[in-house]
C-alpha cells in the first residue's frame, strides 16, 4: 500500500548516484545552484545545495537548498509560499555548478522581486531595474533588506 500524499519522484532513484558522483562539492560540501525560470530563461537566483538538498530536490521535484545562515535545509517557499518546482536538473562541465530549471510560484527574491538580480550597472552606478512585486512583510511577516 502506498501513501497517496507522497509526491512522485522527479527522477528515478538509480539516477541519484550518478548525479551525486558527477558533482564536485566544495570543501564545505556545497555546490552553487542557479535557478532559471522555465520557458523564459530568466535567471531568478543563486543558492547553495549540499548532497541532501540535491537528493531531496531529485526525489520530490520541489527545489531544496542549503541555507548557510540557518545551517539547514531550505525548502524554497516553505515560509513565503513562493515554491519552486523542478523542471530540469543540469550539472555543468566541471561538475562545480548546478542549473535548476524551475517553475516559480510568485517571486524568487526575499525582497519581493521576481529575480534576485534586480540591480544592474547603468551609467557607472547600480540601478534597481525591477520593482517589488510582493511586499516582503506579506511573504515573511517582517521586512527583509
Amino acid at each position: 500500500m502506498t501513501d497517496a500524499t507522497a509526491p512522485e519522484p522527479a527522477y528515478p532513484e538509480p539516477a541519484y548516484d550518478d548525479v551525486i558522483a558527477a558533482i564536485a562539492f566544495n570543501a564545505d560540501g556545497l555546490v552553487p545552484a542557479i535557478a532559471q525560470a522555465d520557458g523564459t530563461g530568466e535567471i531568478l537566483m543563486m543558492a547553495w545545495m549540499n548532497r541532501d538538498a540535491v537528493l531531496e530536490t531529485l526525489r520530490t521535484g520541489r527545489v531544496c537548498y542549503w541555507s548557510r545562515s540557518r545551517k539547514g535545509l531550505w525548502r524554497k517557499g516553505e515560509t513565503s509560499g513562493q515554491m519552486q518546482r523542478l523542471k530540469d536538473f543540469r550539472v555543468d562541465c566541471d561538475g562545480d555548478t548546478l542549473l535548476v530549471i524551475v517553475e516559480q510560484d510568485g517571486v524568487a527574491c526575499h525582497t519581493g522581486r521576481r529575480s534576485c538580480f534586480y540591480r544592474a550597472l547603468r551609467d557607472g552606478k547600480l540601478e534597481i531595474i525591477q520593482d517589488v512585486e510582493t511586499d516582503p512583510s506579506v511573504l515573511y511577516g517582517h521586512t527583509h533588506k
Side-chain angles (χ1 to χ4, degrees), residues 131-142:
D131 292 331
V132 172
E133 292 181 20
T134 305
D135 184 338
S137 67
V138 171
L139 298 174
Y140 305 102
H142 54 82

Side-chain angles (χ1 to χ4, degrees), residues 52-66:
D52 291 340
V54 169
L55 290 172
E56 181 170 321
T57 297
L58 295 175
R59 285 185 181 122
T60 67
R62 181 173 174 185
V63 182
C64 178
Y65 300 103
W66 175 259

Side-chain angles (χ1 to χ4, degrees), residues 35-42 44 85 87-88 100-104 114:
Q36 184 179 36
D38 184 42
T40 68
E42 178 183 20
L44 299 173
R85 282 175 296 288
K87 294 299 190 176
D88 199 8
V100 289
I101 312 297
V102 302
E103 182 180 310
Q104 174 71 50
R114 171 83 179 147

Side-chain angles (χ1 to χ4, degrees), residues 23 25-26 28-33 46-55 57-58 62-67 73 84 86 89 98 100:
I23 298 173
F25 293 97
N26 69 16
D28 295 322
L30 303 174
V31 62
M46 178 276 181
W48 297 92
M49 286 185 166
N50 67 0
R51 182 183 189 280
D52 291 340
V54 169
L55 290 172
T57 297
L58 295 175
R62 181 173 174 185
V63 182
C64 178
Y65 300 103
W66 175 259
S67 171
L73 291 176
Q84 293 177 345
L86 184 65
F89 188 94
L98 305 178
V100 289

Side-chain angles (χ1 to χ4, degrees), residues 5-122:
T5 62
E8 289 294 318
Y11 291 92
E13 188 135 0
Y16 303 164
D17 291 340
D18 289 344
V19 170
I20 294 298
I23 298 173
F25 293 97
N26 69 16
D28 295 322
L30 303 174
V31 62
I34 299 165
Q36 184 179 36
D38 184 42
T40 68
E42 178 183 20
I43 302 300
L44 299 173
M45 58 181 277
M46 178 276 181
W48 297 92
M49 286 185 166
N50 67 0
R51 182 183 189 280
D52 291 340
V54 169
L55 290 172
E56 181 170 321
T57 297
L58 295 175
R59 285 185 181 122
T60 67
R62 181 173 174 185
V63 182
C64 178
Y65 300 103
W66 175 259
S67 171
R68 294 179 303 163
S69 60
R70 292 181 239 158
K71 296 183 180 11
L73 291 176
W74 162 34
R75 292 156 187 95
K76 182 71 175 150
E78 68 187 341
T79 303
S80 67
Q82 310 298 287
M83 187 170 54
Q84 293 177 345
R85 282 175 296 288
L86 184 65
K87 294 299 190 176
D88 199 8
F89 188 94
R90 301 180 188 180
V91 181
D92 81 338
C93 57
D94 296 319
D96 61 2
T97 305
L98 305 178
L99 177 64
V100 289
I101 312 297
V102 302
E103 182 180 310
Q104 174 71 50
D105 288 345
V107 298
C109 185
H110 72 277
T111 66
R113 292 175 175 86
R114 171 83 179 147
S115 169
C116 292
F117 298 96
Y118 62 88
R119 296 179 291 179
L121 187 59
R122 301 287 190 263

